[in-house]
Amino acid sequence: MFVQDCGNGAGKEMRSRRRVALSFIFSFKGFAATIAVVGFFFFTCSFLLSVHVDSSTPTDHEVLGLKRYEPSDGRHPLSLTPNAIEAQLKETVRSMVDYQGLLLIHGSMARKLKLENTKLVKKFAEISMNFTDLIKKASHYDVSGSNATLAHRFLKQARERVKSAKQLISKSKGSFDSQLKIQKLKDTIFGLEEQMTKMKHRGEFAKSIATKAIPRNLHCLALRLMQERIENPIRYINKQTKPRKEFEDPNLYHYAIFSDNVLAASVVVNSVVQNAKEPWKHVLHIVTERTTLAAMKVMFKLKDHSGAHIEVKAVEDYKFLNSSYVPVLRQQESAELQGYYYGSGLENSTSDPSNLKFRNPKYLSIMNHLRFYLPEMYPKLHKILFLDDDVVVQKDMTGLWEVDMDGKVNGAACAWAYGMNIFDLDAWRRDNCTEKYHYWQELNGNRTLWRLGTLPPGLITFYSTTKPLDKSWHVLGLGYNPRLSEEKIQNAAVVHYNGDSKPWLATAIPRYQPLWTKYVDYDLEFFRACNFAP
């Protein structure tokens, strides 16, 4: 009974141990199998991923008209039959041949475009040579037996080269796309044109500011002359209570010069006097503003001007020039015009040179409109020659007083502009030209007929009363046109620096400056003190 019991117990124990051993063995095999499966899964995924990455590289197959070369199936190259490996070799070689041809074409285009020294052309040549070497190697491969591994390495290397060729061609395509290059060129040109337009506007704006600024040496000259007047008052006291008879003698040659620029006025006077055959027969009437009157008087007291007669007066000395009679003075009192010319609001803040020019208050200044009141300013004269302060006289002007005016008021060139005008004051009074001017100036109170200057109302006022003069009397354009004929300039009686490039400014046209500077009194101490240099 005992043995039986012991035998039965031992058998049970052995069977139990056997079951444990079997479960362990089976569990170990399961674990190993799991590892094998997982390893195979990761290997397969990595292979497929490498194939996917290779196939997802940006290419231009469709654009370039090439066939996409892919393995014939998804198996690992080592598991392929020799025939399959040989087929893949042929496809890869064909791919390399095609891409080598494309590289040669791109290299040829690059050389025609004179890009031989660029890295791009060197890469074309390098990859093309590599393709040549690989194609030669492919013809010597025996894909049977153990050579399959070498074939696999060769295929991998060749596909990497094809991939590099694809990327290089795709990257360089824009360099040889004529339409794309043309569009880029158009965009570049458009951008440059916009920049040039902006710079031109900025330059014109800066130039407009410069033309309205007073140069430092010119300001210095006016102050020095005023200082001289204050320090030596007795020297400049006019002891005569009545005008000198020469100023009203109609038998002499009279000139009208209206200016607040001391230097410019002195150049006009010097050029008239130095070119006159008989200077003592010439009378120059200078009218300026009250602020520059003292400087002007001192300026023309510094020398005798070869016996020429010079009268200096302020515009305020002509009492009839008041707002009840002069439309311009009345318009200056308008709140609207004051806002337009002198306002500091946003509407006046502009970088447009043309708008800046229109808003220049000088065009509404009485100094600019004095020319319409010559008969009343000089009631005893029959003729007078009007000169702007930006002109230079190069010849004796007495011949103008001998011109037969045919009953006309204004003697000027056919396409005339103010600057040099011989006026028959008797004909002016007869035709009531000042009243005509008043009529049109009143109509233009809101600036709808013309926006600036005295030329528009002058053209209207003297429309049918202008006597054409030979064009050699008055040559314009020295203030803006650098290409005037040298012969025309030399033959001109008067040259006119109309425009922004005035001869006393830094913006002057260098070619024409010597014509003006030759009449500047550089030898006077006031000019030396203010750093004027020839």
Side-chain angles (χ1 to χ4, degrees):
M1 187 68 176
F2 175 76
V3 174
Q4 183 70 31
D5 291 338
C6 288
N8 292 337
K12 292 179 179 178
E13 183 178 356
M14 289 297 291
R15 286 194 296 272
S16 175
R17 289 179 178 178
R18 193 177 295 115
R19 284 196 300 271
V20 171
L22 288 172
S23 64
F24 174 77
I25 290 171
F26 284 122
S27 63
F28 178 78
K29 287 181 178 179
F31 177 74
T34 302
I35 292 177
V37 170
V38 171
F40 180 77
F41 174 78
F42 278 109
F43 176 80
T44 304
C45 287
S46 63
F47 176 75
L48 292 176
L49 183 61
S50 67
V51 172
H52 174 71
V53 170
D54 183 68
S55 64
S56 65
T57 303
T59 64
D60 294 321
H61 283 82
E62 294 78 12
V63 176
L64 300 172
L66 299 177
K67 176 183 176 183
R68 183 183 292 278
Y69 297 97
E70 300 291 351
S72 58
D73 54 43
R75 293 177 293 166
H76 192 276
L78 293 179
S79 66
L80 298 175
T81 63
N83 290 336
I85 295 175
E86 186 174 1
Q88 287 198 16
L89 279 173
K90 289 180 179 180
E91 290 180 354
T92 304
V93 169
R94 193 161 66 247
S95 175
M96 287 190 292
V97 170
D98 287 343
Y99 276 99
Q100 186 181 38
L102 284 172
L103 290 169
L104 292 174
I105 291 172
H106 280 67
S108 175
M109 294 173 66
R111 283 189 291 276
K112 289 180 180 179
L113 294 172
K114 298 182 180 180
L115 301 173
E116 290 88 355
N117 296 326
T118 64
K119 294 181 180 179
L120 187 62
V121 179
K122 292 180 180 179
K123 287 183 180 179
F124 287 149
E126 181 183 348
I127 298 179
S128 178
M129 292 176 63
N130 287 337
F131 278 159
T132 301
D133 294 340
L134 291 172
I135 291 169
K136 288 180 180 178
K137 289 181 182 179
S139 62
H140 301 303
Y141 272 107
D142 180 6
V143 297
S144 61
S146 61
N147 289 332
T149 302
L150 295 177
H152 167 61
R153 292 177 182 174
F154 173 81
L155 285 172
K156 182 177 180 182
Q157 184 181 9
R159 285 171 181 164
E160 287 177 351
R161 293 298 180 186
V162 170
K163 178 180 177 181
S164 298
K166 293 175 186 178
Q167 293 175 336
L168 180 61
I169 292 173
S170 177
K171 181 179 179 180
S172 63
K173 183 175 65 175
S175 301
F176 307 103
D177 187 336
S178 60
Q179 291 298 325
L180 181 61
K181 293 178 80 66
I182 289 172
Q183 187 58 48
K184 286 183 177 179
L185 183 59
K186 285 182 177 179
D187 293 342
T188 302
I189 293 173
F190 180 75
L192 290 174
E193 286 178 346
E194 280 194 329
Q195 290 182 14
M196 288 178 65
T197 301
K198 289 180 181 178
M199 294 303 294
K200 183 179 178 181
H201 284 182
R202 290 176 182 174
E204 289 176 353
F205 180 72
K207 189 175 181 180
S208 333
I209 296 295
T211 59
K212 293 165 184 60
I214 300 176
R216 183 171 58 182
N217 55 357
L218 188 57
H219 183 64
C220 167
L221 178 61
L223 291 179
R224 293 271 184 173
L225 292 170
M226 291 180 69
Q227 182 181 3
E228 167 67 13
R229 174 67 175 81
I230 295 169
E231 292 177 353
N232 301 284
I234 299 177
R235 188 182 302 174
Y236 302 100
I237 291 178
N238 186 6
K239 297 179 181 179
Q240 292 183 339
T241 57
K242 294 182 179 181
R244 287 165 48 187
K245 62 178 182 179
E246 294 86 0
F247 295 161
E248 298 178 340
D249 187 351
N251 297 314
L252 300 179
Y253 305 108
H254 294 263
Y255 301 75
I257 304 167
F258 306 145
S259 176
D260 59 358
N261 186 326
V262 179
L263 176 62
S266 71
V267 167
V268 176
V269 170
N270 289 342
S271 67
V272 169
V273 172
Q274 292 180 31
N275 288 287
K277 295 178 180 178
E278 299 174 308
W280 55 90
K281 292 184 178 181
H282 295 257
V283 183
L284 298 107
H285 303 270
I286 299 171
V287 181
T288 188
E289 295 179 341
R290 180 66 67 183
T291 55
T292 52
L293 179 62
M296 284 283 189
K297 286 188 172 182
V298 172
M299 184 74 220
F300 294 107
K301 281 277 190 177
L302 294 176
K303 60 182 186 179
D304 62 3
H305 294 93
S306 303
H309 311 285
I310 301 174
E311 178 189 41
V312 179
K313 297 182 72 174
V315 66
E316 290 83 0
D317 293 334
Y318 297 92
K319 303 303 181 182
F320 71 92
L321 295 174
N322 52 66
S323 59
S324 63
Y325 177 65
V326 180
V328 164
L329 292 177
R330 194 157 52 251
Q331 289 166 2
Q332 287 181 11
E333 298 173 355
S334 163
E336 179 185 354
L337 282 185
Q338 287 182 3
Y340 181 80
Y341 286 108
Y342 304 102
S344 58
L346 184 61
E347 69 278 3
N348 285 7
S349 300
T350 175
S351 60
D352 187 343
S354 61
N355 285 342
L356 183 66
K357 183 177 182 179
F358 291 143
R359 293 181 183 276
N360 190 345
K362 81 169 188 177
Y363 293 114
L364 208 63
S365 166
I366 185 58
M367 285 290 297
N368 203 34
H369 288 255
L370 280 180
R371 62 198 69 185
F372 290 106
Y373 300 96
L374 289 169
E376 294 159 285
M377 295 173 71
Y378 309 104
K380 295 185 179 181
L381 301 182
H382 302 304
K383 284 187 178 180
I384 195 166
L385 179 60
F386 170 78
L387 294 177
D388 258 340
D389 64 356
D390 56 353
V391 305
V392 168
V393 175
Q394 301 187 125
K395 295 182 179 180
D396 183 86
M397 303 298 291
T398 55
L400 279 176
W401 278 265
E402 299 172 2
V403 171
D404 183 0
M405 296 288 287
D406 295 327
K408 304 294 185 180
V409 177
N410 173 32
C414 290
W416 71 276
Y418 279 117
M420 190 228 70
N421 305 75
I422 184 73
F423 288 110
D424 186 329
L425 300 182
D426 293 331
W428 184 317
R429 298 180 186 104
R430 180 198 67 213
D431 291 348
N432 298 316
C433 292
T434 302
E435 287 72 14
K436 292 179 183 178
Y437 155 71
H438 282 178
Y439 172 79
W440 290 106
Q441 188 66 38
E442 290 279 12
L443 286 180
N444 194 48
N446 55 4
R447 307 178 310 283
T448 55
L449 296 181
W450 65 86
R451 297 183 66 180
L452 53 82
T454 55
L455 182 58
L459 293 173
I460 297 173
T461 301
F462 305 113
Y463 172 69
S464 59
T465 60
T466 296
K467 166 72 175 182
L469 300 178
D470 187 273
K471 59 184 180 181
S472 64
W473 280 107
H474 185 197
V475 172
L476 298 95
L478 281 74
Y480 66 88
N481 185 1
R483 293 176 294 277
L484 291 174
S485 163
E486 189 66 30
E487 181 182 3
K488 182 185 293 187
I489 293 173
Q490 293 299 326
N491 292 333
V494 174
V495 291
H496 192 176
Y497 293 81
N498 59 312
D500 289 337
S501 299
K502 301 301 184 187
W504 55 84
L505 297 175
T507 57
I509 299 173
R511 177 189 168 197
Y512 306 136
Q513 271 194 299
L515 301 174
W516 186 85
T517 55
K518 68 185 290 187
Y519 295 107
V520 177
D521 294 310
Y522 292 111
D523 56 330
L524 294 178
E525 62 171 305
F526 298 104
F527 285 83
R528 294 194 301 270
C530 294
N531 297 320
F532 282 94

